[in-house]
Amino acid sequence: MREPLDVPSVSSALRTAGLPYAGVDFQPALDSTNARAGGLRRPWLVVTTDHQRSGRGRLSRGWEVPDRAAVCVSVLLPVTAVGADARIAGEPGWIPLFTGLAVAEAIGGVTGLDVALKWPNDVLLAADGHRKVCGILCELLSVNEGVVVGTGINVDQTRAELPVEQATSLALCGAHVSREALLTAYLTRLAQRHGEWLAGGEDAARARAAYRAACRTIGAEVIVHRPAGPPATGTAVAVDDDGRLVVESGEAGESGYGSGRSRDTYAAGDVVHVRPGAESG
């Protein structure tokens, strides 16, 4: 039986951990946690629901989940360092990436599952053919107000309840966990990774290194489906310090490079891994 979220236990865990969250705004049902968080405009307020009816994913995709079957949460995160006078502290392109990293770290810590990332922030589970278990949408309100980070993690869905064949849930991978534990673990990792990004310097470099280590896209043969223009193909060789995917294409010379090779960077797009043995989709 799917139980409603135990909000007091989540609130207590966040306070006990000394995290920067400003409380939990829970609604039994919402069209979109991102829309509510953006409307409330309260930094670090955790907006969550048992039933998200009209959530949105990247590239305007819908994200709807059955009642009490997933973790659906949004938080307004600041993007300016203290005393920075409305200056963005780090490269904002990294916010979706370290959010995906926080999800992956939380799932791995709570369930013990083998979790990987596909650029920019798809969270994949090896136990179900590297299918996607999470949707993430980040929306910048303004430099002064911050970015709304929305996350939906599939916890208890059956195969029939998932919207696409490439999706999975923790239950389908044999992991049966409480949504409270998963939500608390995710929010803990999100605050930690955000703090590293906001601090910059070696702290931000540590977060970038952790992301790159978890990202299966690096080293894979890929097709990049861009918001505009034809798909691009090649080998993903890096994620640069702006959070962009670096793809190398063309024919290599005797040295391994040569005039026929080119490198392009992509700030947005859907990636398909096509190297034999890598996951598809």
Side-chain angles (χ1 to χ4, degrees), residues 149-234:
V149 174
T151 307
I153 307 173
N154 297 332
V155 176
D156 195 46
Q157 288 97 319
T158 64
R159 189 76 68 193
E161 290 175 319
L162 294 168
V164 294
E165 193 275 336
Q166 295 85 359
T168 190
S169 69
L170 298 181
L172 287 172
C173 295
H176 299 280
V177 301
S178 75
R179 289 187 299 143
E180 293 81 7
L182 182 60
L183 176 57
T184 301
Y186 161 63
L187 291 172
T188 299
R189 298 304 298 162
L190 180 67
Q192 291 171 347
R193 292 303 184 186
H194 175 270
E196 291 170 342
W197 173 82
L198 206 61
E202 293 183 0
D203 288 338
R206 182 166 54 250
R208 293 195 295 267
Y211 174 87
R212 290 168 177 141
C215 183
R216 289 174 57 92
T217 304
I218 298 173
E221 300 295 325
V222 298
I223 302 172
V224 184
H225 295 276
R226 297 173 287 174
T233 62

Side-chain angles (χ1 to χ4, degrees), residues 87-147:
R87 176 181 57 81
I88 293 181
E91 171 49 55
W94 271 97
I95 296 176
L97 279 64
F98 74 62
T99 299
L101 176 62
V103 173
E105 291 172 330
I107 291 175
V110 170
T111 69
L113 290 171
D114 181 4
V115 189
L117 293 169
K118 182 173 72 174
W119 183 90
N121 55 20
D122 284 357
V123 182
L124 311 176
L125 297 183
D128 194 14
H130 285 102
R131 286 178 169 87
K132 180 177 175 179
V133 74
C134 175
I136 293 169
L137 179 64
C138 298
E139 298 178 295
L140 181 68
L141 297 183
S142 71
V143 172
N144 290 321
E145 293 179 294
V147 59

